Amino acid sequence: MNSNIEIKHIEKSKIDTVDFNNLPFGSVYSDHMLTCTFKDGKWQDAVVEPFAPISLDPSAKIFHYGQSIFEGMKAYKDADGNTLLFRPLDNCKRLNKSAERLVIPQIPEETFMNGLKALLKVDDAWIPTKEGSSLYIRPFMFASGNGFHASPADEYKFMICTAPSGAYFAGKVKVLIEEKYARAANGGVGFAKAGGNYAAQFYPTQLAIEKGYNQVIWTDDNTHEYIEEAGAMNIFIRINDTLITSPTNDRILDGITRKSIIQIAKDLGINVEVRKISVTEVIAAAKSGELKEMFGAGTAAVISPIAGFGFQENDYDLPELEKPYAALLKKTITDIQTNKAEDPYGWRVQL
């Protein structure tokens, strides 16, 4: 594949119609997108082109067999106007891990990074500078080849679209521990960022919303005894001064924010345990006052504090702490991401 990327500029930018001081999350789109097609057994040249609808045949296999995966990333501006990314190669590696599981051709790292850089260069003005805002980046791949036969497609699309965005969640959330539905099963695709994983979450999440909760805490598919994830995020639970998170497996996404939190927390002297944690243990800690914090962790929200949770018709409120780990860890990560602090890990990439 040629590393040259064709640039097709939009005739007239729509950036002047956007209020950068009041950005929603993920629903205002930048001027351009990156497209790369896999056909005839290889990836073709990538193109940066105006953001626009795409045309697919009704028989495209994405519609019938769900070969679709994605990633979530962000670009930031520092005080000097430099464009910054956070652990982008980890996103590329995880996208390819998802691709392997869904029999989608893996995207070369060179194509991923060169395409991303070219797109961000063209849409540089779309990267917000307001505190708490960022350019959300959505790389995704899907089966564009045609046919009703239940088999992998022969053509695929790799695309990157971007959206200047404000905060994902406003304030703390209230969650319901799930006792019936499962997000993923052993041997399944829970570890992959497959679109179908998220589609399957919507119904039980909607049921929780109808009961007055914002999200679901997922438990294991077999016994529903162990805490696994919080909505579309990894989950951390603080009991006394120990921070606990579930180990990754077939069912749990290997979150990049999760990995970053574990490393930073250890370096801050926080005791971190990566182990299975039961619902019973969490309830007991809540009743004894030892449960101090729960929070979700992911690219979109970075860290989303949980104010309380429900289980078996009972509600449990978490205490208001003067110096929560969630706030400390979020500030530490976002300061690294936005070049307000040193990056001892080499996670920050300047374009």
Side-chain angles (χ1 to χ4, degrees), residues 55 113 146 155 201 213 285 332:
S55 178
M113 289 304 300
N146 304 329
E155 289 190 11
Q201 290 185 30
Y213 301 92
T332 305

Side-chain angles (χ1 to χ4, degrees), residues 55-75:
S55 178
L56 291 172
D57 194 282
S59 67
K61 291 200 173 186
I62 175 58
F63 299 132
H64 307 279
Y65 303 113
Q67 280 182 287
S68 173
I69 56 175
F70 69 95
E71 277 295 319
M73 310 169 64
K74 288 180 177 177

Side-chain angles (χ1 to χ4, degrees), residues 101 180-192 196-197 200-201 218-224 228-229 248-253:
R101 181 62 179 85
K180 177 181 178 181
Y181 297 98
R183 177 188 171 275
N186 286 330
V189 296
F191 69 89
N197 289 347
Q201 290 185 30
W218 301 104
T219 51
D220 68 285
D221 65 304
N222 187 28
T223 65
H224 294 288
E228 298 212 323
E229 293 200 347
T248 56
N249 54 36
D250 284 351
R251 305 181 305 275
I252 296 177
L253 187 72

